[in-house]
Amino acid sequence: MFSFFKKKETRFVLGAPAKGKAVPLSEVSDPTFAEEMLGKGMAVIPSEGKIYAPADGEVGMVFDTLHAVSMTAADSGAEILIHVGIDTVQMKGEGFTGHVKAGDRVKKGQLLLEVDLEKVKAAGYDPITPMLVCNTTDYASVEGLTGNDVNPGDDAVVIQK
């Protein structure tokens, strides 16, 4: 009845995009990610080759090479980039399978991409998977939760409006 008195949600949580070890972006060997040039977030050293939606939202872009996907979270408006591996664009899609396309509406935990981690490693690339909030400056804070093993959907990034 008095819902207009309720404070608007100001805290949002993104789920981990993959199963593995959650690490800070500073541990990513590419300075674009490590120095947070594209935004704040966290990374997962994946133990499985499945990449999931960290929130309900809309897919903005799936790169032709299937190594990265962007989406916008429905609740917070966070512009999310999930980038599978370092320099994996060089693989030209080899070992990657896409399950979504631009414009698709997705639910948290929905499968976005699959990657053959052994192929990535055999090609000489690091499979570490950064997840960034590219519009970080729209929020009071964006903090990656790291230092532990995560399953897809586990709390990974906390956003404060």
Side-chain angles (χ1 to χ4, degrees):
M1 179 171 157
F2 292 104
S3 61
F4 59 90
F5 286 121
K6 287 184 181 176
K7 191 175 178 191
K8 265 184 87 176
E9 182 66 49
T10 60
R11 182 178 186 269
F12 305 95
V13 180
L14 301 179
K19 179 179 177 136
K21 174 117 176 111
V23 297
L25 288 175
S26 61
E27 291 190 22
V28 179
S29 62
D30 184 325
T32 303
F33 299 112
E35 296 172 18
E36 301 179 339
M37 292 181 205
L38 298 176
K40 294 181 183 277
M42 52 80 73
V44 176
I45 300 169
S47 59
E48 289 182 352
K50 294 183 179 188
I51 307 300
Y52 299 92
D56 291 356
E58 184 175 335
V59 175
M61 182 173 154
V62 178
F63 288 68
D64 292 343
T65 52
L66 303 174
H67 75 287
V69 62
S70 69
M71 64 174 285
T72 302
D75 60 358
S76 64
E79 296 169 1
I80 304 160
L81 173 66
I82 302 169
H83 192 282
V84 183
I86 303 302
D87 293 328
T88 49
V89 65
Q90 304 299 329
M91 294 180 69
K92 297 179 173 56
E94 183 70 30
F96 291 84
T97 305
H99 292 281
V100 293
K101 62 186 181 324
D104 284 356
R105 296 214 172 267
V106 295
K107 292 286 189 191
K108 182 177 181 177
Q110 184 175 333
L111 185 63
L112 302 175
L113 302 170
E114 285 185 271
V115 56
D116 183 333
L117 295 177
E118 294 312 310
K119 252 187 194 173
V120 170
K121 292 175 191 173
Y125 300 111
D126 182 348
I128 194 166
T129 300
M131 179 175 72
L132 313 171
V133 174
C134 295
N135 58 336
T136 294
T137 57
D138 291 353
Y139 304 99
S141 70
V142 174
E143 179 186 352
L145 306 176
T146 60
N148 55 319
D149 290 331
V150 291
N151 286 304
D154 287 355
D155 292 357
V157 175
V158 176
I159 301 169
Q160 297 275 83
K161 256 208 164 161

